[in-house]
Amino acid sequence: MANPITLWLKRVLPHTLLARSLLIIVMPLILLQVISTWVFYDRHWSTMTKRLSLGVAGDIAMVIDQRAFARSEAELARINVLTLWNTELQAEFHKGEILPNQPAVDLVGTFDDILRDALRERVRRPFHIHWPEGKERDVLVRVQLADGVLDVVIPRQRLFSSTTYVFILWMVGSSLVLFAVATVFMRNQVRPIRRLATAADSFGKGRDVADFRLEGAVEVRQAAAAFLQMRDRIRRQLQQRTDMLSGVSHDLRTPLTRMKLQLAMLGGSPEVDDLKADVTEMERMIEGYLAFARGEGGEAPVPTELNELLSDVVAAARREGMPVDLRLDGPIRLPVRPQAFRRSIGNLIANAGRYGKHVWVSAAKHDDSVEILIDDDGPGIPSEQREEVFRPFFRLEGSRNPETGGVGLGLTIARDVLRGHGGELTLDESPKGGLRACVRLPA
Ligand SMILES: Nc1ncnc2c1ncn2[C@@H]1O[C@H](COP(=O)(O)OP(=O)(O)OP(=O)(O)O)[C@@H](O)[C@H]1O
Ligand SMILES: [Mg+2]
């Protein structure tokens, strides 16, 4: 059992290389920002705001104390004017008024708390902080004095610094720019890897890899070069195998023809007839193999409408008198080697027609695969022999009688061709009673 946390992490963390590398870049960036914002806010901004508030509160206390010593209305007025000039605070006295009983602040926020604490510390009288509506730049502080209420309008810029937001804005903005630049660069790094993956995938499906070239970082180039070498080696090996086998088959034909001639001159005894039949069968086997090897080389995959191809093959089988049902399920377009593909599907339909009375062919496209089913109502193949029949020249009947069938290469060839397309051919029991050949190709 895997650790549930590991499983959860696996599910949550991004899966593509691009997303992962961006995460690796972005995570420290965000962490750095959070830490520096926190340090800035906690150590710098709040201390500074506290000092500013204390300053303003001190000014207000100063005004109040000055007023206590004033002996005339004129002197009071002068104090107000001087206050405005020197401290930007606008003071106005309302004689006889009493502050209503209410909390000291309108809003509750860090800033109000700081100002409230400062006023409590310096003014030491009942007060009320009020944020006047429509006047975004001011704060109104009302202080209860012995004979009335003193209103002091404070410009907000005396209380806190507006550069804080600029600081955060710069930080967020610059990291967004960094992130964008990183995304562009990382995408360029990831692209060659993605191309290599696509190329390897296409090659596995027997398709051509158009204009694949070495690009990207050294490691990616190395992997791509290794892939190209491997591809060429595999191609060479396949070619060599086909060339060798067809060479051998071809060379066997000459002695066989000679043997046939000699047998013809021996006249007709039962032993000679048996030998003749054997030689004829060998000849057929070799012809069968040569026909296969000839079709192997050189054909390039082309985008094909699978439905058209299947309809063609089925039509050909019907012309030979086979009752074939064809069921197609929406258009399917795939790059295939048309001749070879046609032959392998043809082989499967021929088998079904030979061993059954009726043949059903259907094709359907799934998410990432295409499935072609060929069913018949014949005797089927016992499950323990469903792999053996793929062996070259293997035939269930055992007899080598040409009337009852072919040479036993049909399934071998079909599977070889389909695997060359990155697909697979399997045999199964058919719901129709006979054998089901199931072709599965990568879409
Ligand atoms: N649809 C089927 N129903 C029952 N048996 C089958 C079916 N298809 C194939 N077989 C068995 O599998 C054997 C191998 O099939 P394969 O197509 O390779 O050779 P073949 O049909 O005998 O000859 P060839 O196809 O080369 O002319 C057949 O001889 C037959 O015994
Ligand atoms: Mg066959």
Side-chain angles (χ1 to χ4, degrees):
M1 259 310 277
N3 189 340
I5 296 179
T6 326
L7 284 178
W8 178 79
L9 269 179
K10 252 190 197 154
R11 216 179 50 237
V12 173
L13 286 180
H15 294 269
T16 64
L17 181 57
L18 180 64
R20 283 186 180 188
S21 34
L22 285 179
L23 191 73
I24 293 172
I25 297 171
V26 166
M27 277 309 259
L29 208 68
I30 292 178
L31 210 69
L32 182 76
Q33 297 219 331
V34 168
I35 291 175
S36 53
T37 309
W38 182 76
V39 169
F40 175 82
Y41 184 79
D42 191 61
R43 301 277 142 215
H44 178 77
W45 192 82
S46 67
T47 316
M48 199 187 67
T49 311
K50 239 177 249 167
R51 297 234 170 107
L52 286 174
S53 292
L54 275 174
V56 170
D59 287 349
I60 295 175
M62 180 75 173
V63 173
I64 293 168
D65 289 344
Q66 285 291 321
R67 294 178 69 90
F69 293 110
R71 271 158 309 196
S72 66
E73 282 298 319
E75 217 167 302
L76 283 174
R78 204 186 61 217
I79 289 174
N80 284 358
V81 171
L82 283 177
T83 310
L84 185 59
W85 273 4
N86 295 322
T87 66
E88 294 174 65
L89 302 181
Q90 211 176 315
E92 198 181 328
F93 185 65
H94 300 277
K95 202 170 171 60
E97 226 177 275
I98 292 174
L99 273 186
N101 201 3
Q102 60 184 1
V105 284
D106 275 356
L107 304 156
V108 182
T110 322
F111 178 71
D112 295 274
D113 292 349
I114 293 174
L115 183 59
R116 184 196 59 199
D117 292 346
L119 286 171
R120 273 192 191 144
E121 189 181 330
R122 293 272 152 98
V123 176
R124 293 186 301 273
R125 282 181 179 82
F127 62 86
H128 178 71
I129 302 170
H130 184 67
W131 303 84
E133 266 165 51
K135 285 184 159 178
E136 255 74 61
R137 292 166 173 279
D138 298 330
V139 182
L140 173 67
V141 172
R142 313 194 71 200
V143 186
Q144 182 72 62
L145 302 185
D147 50 350
V149 171
L150 182 71
D151 280 358
V152 185
V153 176
I154 312 164
R156 285 191 201 180
Q157 63 194 30
R158 276 216 57 190
L159 289 172
F160 55 91
S161 143
S162 58
T163 50
T164 315
Y165 302 110
V166 178
F167 172 78
I168 291 176
L169 218 71
W170 265 102
M171 245 171 39
V172 172
S174 59
S175 50
L176 280 181
V177 170
L178 269 179
F179 182 65
V181 172
T183 310
V184 171
F185 277 92
M186 277 318 295
R187 181 167 294 178
N188 284 339
Q189 294 306 305
V190 169
R191 194 179 303 131
I193 301 178
R194 210 178 277 153
R195 288 220 179 108
L196 176 59
T198 314
D201 185 56
S202 297
F203 179 62
K205 292 173 182 165
R207 297 169 194 172
D208 252 358
V209 189
D211 66 17
F212 180 73
R213 56 199 148 79
L214 299 185
E215 57 179 346
V218 177
E219 291 85 348
V220 182
R221 275 167 197 265
Q222 271 172 355
F227 162 69
L228 286 180
Q229 270 174 11
M230 185 186 76
R231 184 187 69 175
D232 294 343
R233 247 193 325 263
I234 291 177
R235 275 190 182 155
R236 258 201 315 274
Q237 249 163 27
L238 279 176
Q239 193 56 44
Q240 208 174 345
R241 180 197 74 169
T242 321
D243 286 353
M244 195 187 82
L245 282 173
S246 60
V248 169
S249 311
H250 193 264
D251 291 350
L252 277 177
R253 278 207 298 199
T254 324
L256 267 181
T257 315
R258 260 201 316 268
M259 277 165 82
K260 249 169 81 180
L261 277 176
Q262 281 163 350
L263 282 172
M265 285 191 292
L266 274 182
S269 72
E271 290 85 5
V272 172
D273 285 345
D274 278 355
L275 263 176
K276 270 183 186 164
D278 280 345
V279 169
T280 312
E281 202 206 335
M282 273 177 84
E283 223 179 0
R284 283 198 327 131
M285 287 162 86
I286 285 172
E287 288 305 328
Y289 182 76
L290 278 176
F292 160 64
R294 262 198 301 277
E296 255 296 85
E299 207 188 350
V302 284
T304 310
E305 290 297 341
L306 218 57
N307 287 353
E308 270 172 37
L309 188 149
L310 286 177
S311 304
D312 273 8
V313 180
V314 166
R318 281 180 187 148
R319 274 197 296 278
E320 282 172 21
M322 252 181 249
V324 187
D325 259 24
L326 177 63
R327 228 189 57 223
L328 299 171
D329 187 31
I332 306 170
R333 210 176 153 77
L334 266 189
V336 296
R337 287 187 270 275
Q339 292 295 329
F341 195 80
R342 211 177 273 265
R343 172 154 24 162
S344 57
I345 299 293
N347 283 352
L348 296 174
I349 294 180
N351 279 354
R354 182 183 293 157
Y355 300 101
K357 286 191 195 66
H358 200 104
V359 184
W360 291 265
V361 179
S362 70
K365 189 171 167 41
H366 302 298
D367 284 344
D368 52 1
S369 67
V370 170
E371 196 176 60
I372 305 170
L373 299 176
I374 295 123
D375 290 293
D376 66 60
D377 54 359
I381 299 178
S383 61
E384 65 276 6
Q385 280 181 308
R386 283 188 200 137
E387 268 309 306
E388 268 181 288
V389 288
F390 284 108
R391 291 214 320 257
F393 306 116
F394 182 92
R395 306 193 57 230
L396 277 186
E397 297 92 85
S399 87
R400 294 281 176 198
N401 184 352
E403 266 85 68
T404 60
V407 289
L409 272 179
L411 287 175
T412 318
I413 293 175
R415 179 176 255 185
D416 195 74
V417 167
L418 294 168
R419 282 187 173 166
H421 284 83
E424 185 52 288
L425 167 62
T426 49
L427 298 178
D428 217 332
E429 213 165 295
S430 167
K432 310 287 183 193
L435 188 76
R436 159 172 283 185
C438 174
V439 175
R440 205 167 281 126
L441 291 162

